[in-house]
Amino acid sequence: MKTLIAVLTGCLMLVLLAFAPGATGAEAASRYAANYCKTRYNLCLARCPDRVRCFSRCLTQYKYCVPPAPSLGDLL
């Protein structure tokens, strides 16, 4: 009887954890895109010897930035 109660309690906990509120896939994807694009923007500014001329180019690249699709290596 104790084993049955322990198994049922474990199953209930798994079900509750599965439906717990957390970051959805869309939220995670938007965070990934924002971090990726901001990193590229900062790298673009760091490579510029003359920030005044490069600023508009980097800003345009940041505005139209599209992150690549995640690969299987990103998931591991």
Side-chain angles (χ1 to χ4, degrees):
M1 185 68 175
K2 289 181 182 180
T3 306
L4 178 63
I5 292 173
V7 169
L8 289 176
T9 304
C11 290
L12 181 62
M13 290 303 290
L14 288 175
V15 169
L16 290 176
L17 286 175
F19 292 110
T24 63
E27 290 172 352
S30 67
R31 243 183 285 125
Y32 169 73
N35 289 341
Y36 175 80
C37 294
K38 186 169 181 150
T39 302
R40 290 211 26 182
Y41 173 71
N42 289 334
L43 288 174
C44 179
L45 286 179
R47 285 191 304 258
C48 290
D50 184 16
R51 287 178 89 86
V52 176
R53 285 186 13 207
C54 293
F55 180 74
S56 63
R57 180 174 53 89
C58 294
L59 192 60
T60 303
Q61 288 178 358
Y62 179 69
K63 183 178 177 183
Y64 296 107
C65 175
V66 177
S71 67
L72 184 59
D74 294 338
L75 301 174
L76 298 177

